[in-house]
Every structure is written in structure tokens, then in C-alpha cells.
Amino acid sequence: MDSHSHMAEEGAGRIRLVDLSQEAGIMNIKDIQDRLRERADNTPKGGWVFGYQEDDSKLAEKRHPTRWNSTLQARITR
């Protein structure tokens, strides 16, 4: 049995990454777009925005966002 944890890594990840889980209030692709747009608006130009915990099976659309979700792409790549 290996009983160790990565608390510092997990804590830092929660600051750096955008939580896209249902528990964080993400119910559909628009919610993902809004949450990533919010982070992008507060990220220096050329900076990266990373999301985690997105689960397509819990989204209303039952699919992952695609490149055709152009609003998302346009805002992130500004």
C-alpha cells in the first residue's frame, strides 16, 4: 500500500487551471466558453489557458466542444 499525496501539486493546479467540471457549475458548452473566456480576459496576451475535469457525458450536448465552437476559439487565440 502506498499512502502518499500530492497536495502542493493539486493546490497549484487549482490556481493555474480552469475547473470545467459539473461540480463547478459547467452544464453545457456555453458554460465552458464563458469560463474559459473569463480566464482568457485576465490572461496576458500570448498566455495559455488550461482547463481540466471537463466531462462530455455530463454536458447537455453530450459531446466535447470542437473547433467549430468558433466563439471559444476566437477568444482564446485572440
Side-chain angles (χ1 to χ4, degrees):
M1 177 183 259
D2 182 8
S3 59
H4 74 280
S5 65
H6 298 267
M7 289 189 300
E9 183 179 321
E10 182 65 25
R14 290 182 182 263
I15 293 169
R16 290 188 334 259
L17 306 173
V18 180
D19 187 352
L20 301 176
S21 67
Q22 186 178 46
E23 293 76 17
I26 302 298
M27 301 298 172
N28 54 50
I29 290 174
K30 183 179 182 319
D31 291 342
I32 292 173
Q33 291 173 317
D34 292 345
R35 193 69 54 94
L36 292 175
R37 182 179 301 112
E38 179 181 313
R39 178 65 64 91
D41 288 344
N42 294 299
T43 299
K45 186 171 179 147
W48 288 75
V49 175
F50 295 95
Y52 78 115
Q53 299 289 344
E54 182 260 326
D55 184 346
D56 63 309
S57 71
K58 294 181 179 180
L59 296 175
E61 297 87 352
K62 301 291 186 211
R63 65 175 180 83
H64 296 289
T66 69
R67 67 184 179 124
W68 303 112
N69 298 111
S70 58
T71 316
L72 176 64
Q73 182 181 11
R75 295 295 297 161
I76 300 302
T77 59
R78 59 181 156 123

